[in-house]
């Protein structure tokens, strides 16, 4: 006579496995005991033991030797087998490509950065392949072992297909099927997403609680991502393209002391420090041309030309400008204040519409420190009803890669907790 089993048993067993695996994930990377898992899942100890046995057999968990106990029998502990489903994150930019591989617990197994030789789609693809190959080799993994891939790219990305629709900073990049190339190589879930959106997800993941977050990626270019109650807001597809906001005055030095009068002859458009609206032929938006990293250096150089005693005369990048201001250089302080004013004036309408709880600034400018942060907060207070908090991302330039890895991990966990 065949023993009858309840029809719901396989379903319940799968649900129990998912609950236990999720509990181990939330405790990662620390190992956890059966008794703790029973408390976390509110399942009986025998049920947890069966789920753990199944997950060990499937390769999702690993068992640790018992720790010596002062009283009673030492307890066996369990943790995630991170290499059961490692993920790949890519930060693809016009100048550099970074490939990062992480295990299930988010532990970085490899991070490789490659410089792009020339600003073209072909050279960018070569850098992607080189960085990816070295990351796999460093992590000791083959392509078929990667469980999910997320690639960050500048430009506007079509959500449903992952196609890059518009990316003026890299000629020909919109003609490349990046998602298709990655799927053909890795045979797993592949997502291509705007880099600022991924930076926003990374910033939101570091915070607790619901709310609205505006994450600004500020370097040579400017972009932003919006996260509302933990969910990325894309709008019609172009949400966050703040680099194309037109400042009130296109000359960032318009209101600095001793600036050229409005009717003065404009600087030579062929000069390296020209920042007229049409001076840049690389598709940068008005705000990027006004206060991007390159524009900040150009502004500092113009101000320092008549003041060789200023530390600005030796500034070669935006970081040096902010360091000079933090060190008490009055000319540098004027430049930083003007940059902050242009940014605040441009972003104030966004703040009034979205009413974000916080603005998080990432990218290279995130290393500016309090000298820029305080100036932005001061100007926003005069331009908005309820000024949001303004913070610098602790991840700085690594924000986009962190967001790419997090999105890939989220994809893996969605699938895993459904079918394990």
């Amino acid at each position: 006579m065949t023993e009858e089993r309840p029809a719901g048993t396989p379903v319940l067993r799968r649900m129990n496995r998912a609950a236990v695996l999720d509990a181990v994930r939330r405790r990662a990377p620390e190992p956890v005991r059966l008794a703790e898992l029973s408390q976390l899942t509110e399942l009986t100890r025998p049920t947890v033991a069966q789920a753990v046995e199944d997950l060990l057999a499937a390769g999702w968990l690993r068992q640790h030797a018992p720790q010596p106990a002062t009283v009673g029998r030492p307890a066996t502990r369990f943790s995630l087998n991170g290499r059961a489903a490692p993920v790949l994150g890519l930060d693809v930019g016009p100048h550099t490509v970074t490939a990062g591989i992480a295990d299930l617990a988010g532990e970085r197994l490899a991070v490789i950065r490659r410089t792009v030789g020339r600003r073209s789609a072909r050279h960018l693809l070569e850098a992607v392949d080189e960085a990816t190959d070295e990351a796999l080799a460093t992590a000791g993994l083959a392509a078929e072992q990667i469980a999910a891939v997320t690639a960050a790219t500048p430009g506007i990305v079509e959500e449903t297909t992952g196609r890059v629709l518009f990316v003026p900073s890299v000629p020909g990049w919109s003609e490349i099927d990046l998602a298709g190339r990655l799927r053909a190589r890795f045979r797993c879930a592949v997502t291509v997403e705007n880099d600022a959106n991924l930076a926003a997800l990374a910033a939101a993941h570091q915070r607790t609680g619901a709310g609205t977050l505006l994450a600004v990626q500020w370097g040579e270019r400017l972009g932003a991502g919006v996260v509302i109650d933990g969910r990325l807001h894309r709008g019609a597809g172009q949400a966050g393209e703040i680099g194309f906001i037109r400042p009130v005055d296109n000359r960032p030095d318009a209101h600095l002391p001793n600036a050229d009068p409005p009717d003065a002859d404009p600087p030579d458009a062929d000069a390296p420090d020209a920042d007229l609206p049409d001076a840049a032929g690389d598709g940068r938006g008005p705000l990027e041309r006004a206060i991007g990293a390159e524009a900040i250096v150009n502004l500092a150089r113009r101000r320092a030309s008549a003041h060789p005693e200023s530390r600005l005369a030796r500034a070669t990048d935006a970081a040096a400008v902010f360091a000079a201001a933090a060190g008490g250089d009055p000319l540098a302080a004027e430049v930083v204040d003007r940059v902050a004013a242009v940014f605040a004036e441009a972003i104030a309408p966004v703040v009034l519409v979205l009413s974000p709880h916080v603005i998080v600034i990432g990218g290279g400018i995130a290393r500016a420190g309090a000298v820029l942060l305080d100036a932005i907060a001061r100007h926003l207070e005069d331009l908005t009803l309820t000024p949001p908090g303004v913070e610098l991302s602790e991840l700085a330039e690594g924000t986009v890669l962190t967001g790419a890895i997090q999105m890939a991990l989220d994809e893996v966990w969605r699938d895993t907790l459904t079918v394990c």
Side-chain angles (χ1 to χ4, degrees):
M1 181 176 179
T2 303
E3 180 183 356
E4 293 186 4
R5 301 180 64 186
T9 297
V11 176
L12 290 174
R13 191 162 173 172
R14 186 168 65 247
M15 291 173 63
N16 293 338
R17 286 197 296 267
V20 170
L21 184 59
D22 190 44
V24 177
R25 174 179 69 145
R26 285 184 275 118
R27 287 291 299 271
E30 294 184 6
V32 60
R33 296 171 296 157
L34 288 178
E36 293 172 310
L37 287 172
S38 181
Q39 292 177 343
L40 290 169
T41 60
E42 298 184 348
L43 298 172
T44 64
R45 187 184 176 101
T47 299
V48 169
Q50 180 62 64
V52 166
E53 183 179 331
D54 292 345
L55 291 168
L56 285 169
W60 290 106
L61 298 183
R62 59 181 178 176
Q63 184 172 317
H64 297 261
Q67 288 182 323
T70 55
V71 178
R73 183 179 177 182
T76 303
R77 299 168 303 142
F78 306 91
S79 67
L80 285 177
N81 175 15
R83 287 180 174 262
V87 301
L88 170 67
L90 290 167
D91 178 5
V92 182
H95 302 295
T96 59
V97 172
T98 306
I101 295 177
D103 67 11
L104 270 175
E107 192 75 22
R108 301 287 175 91
L109 305 178
V111 176
I112 303 298
R113 186 181 178 92
R114 279 284 173 270
T115 301
V116 181
R118 293 173 56 190
R119 191 176 293 193
S120 71
R122 181 173 66 83
H123 287 88
L124 197 55
L125 280 176
E126 290 175 357
V128 169
D129 290 340
E130 290 173 4
T132 300
D133 290 344
E134 188 170 345
L136 289 169
T138 301
L141 296 169
E144 57 267 22
Q145 292 176 275
I146 298 297
V149 177
T150 297
T153 176
I156 297 171
V157 180
E158 189 174 51
E159 180 183 0
T160 55
T161 65
R163 285 182 55 234
V164 182
L165 302 179
F166 176 69
V167 54
S169 58
V170 184
W173 190 240
S174 59
E175 300 170 12
I176 302 297
D177 182 10
L178 180 61
R181 288 173 61 93
L182 292 171
R183 290 190 187 104
R185 178 174 186 183
F186 290 97
R187 306 290 182 181
C188 66
V190 172
T191 303
V192 176
E193 181 58 90
N194 172 266
D195 50 6
N197 283 345
L198 289 173
L201 287 176
H205 191 261
Q206 289 190 305
R207 306 179 66 83
T208 58
T212 299
L213 177 145
L214 177 66
V216 177
Q217 277 298 102
W218 190 351
E220 181 180 329
R221 308 187 72 93
L222 277 92
V226 181
V227 176
I228 301 174
D229 294 338
R231 296 179 64 87
L232 185 64
H233 174 71
R234 293 185 176 86
Q238 293 83 40
E241 294 293 335
I242 63 170
F244 291 89
I245 293 174
R246 185 171 296 278
V248 175
D249 192 317
N250 287 317
R251 296 187 307 128
D253 56 352
H255 305 297
L256 286 173
N258 303 319
D260 294 334
D263 57 351
D265 291 335
D268 182 2
D270 294 327
D273 62 349
D275 65 347
L276 291 176
D278 297 322
D282 59 0
R284 283 181 293 172
L287 190 60
E288 294 169 329
R289 294 197 295 272
I291 57 169
E294 182 181 351
I296 294 172
V297 176
N298 290 339
L299 173 59
R301 286 174 178 168
R302 286 197 299 277
R303 295 293 294 136
S305 63
H307 300 272
E309 77 285 356
S310 170
R311 289 178 59 184
L312 286 188
R314 300 183 297 277
T316 58
D317 55 25
V321 177
F322 295 118
D329 187 296
L331 204 64
E334 290 175 4
V335 170
V336 172
D337 187 73
R338 183 55 191 156
V339 168
V342 173
F343 175 79
E345 289 166 3
I347 210 74
V350 180
V351 172
L352 290 169
V353 170
L354 289 178
S355 187
H357 294 83
V358 65
I359 298 174
V360 179
I361 299 174
I365 300 300
R367 300 191 183 279
V371 64
L372 176 64
L373 201 68
D374 294 345
I376 290 173
R378 184 176 67 255
H379 285 290
L380 278 177
E381 189 169 355
D382 295 334
L383 297 167
T384 59
L385 298 176
T386 305
V390 184
E391 302 174 1
L392 298 177
S393 171
E394 296 178 0
L395 300 169
E397 291 100 329
T399 309
V400 174
L401 180 64
T402 298
I405 289 174
Q406 186 59 52
M407 179 174 278
L409 285 171
D410 289 345
E411 178 68 29
V412 170
W413 281 112
R414 274 193 299 270
D415 291 345
T416 299
L417 296 178
T418 301
V419 302
C420 72

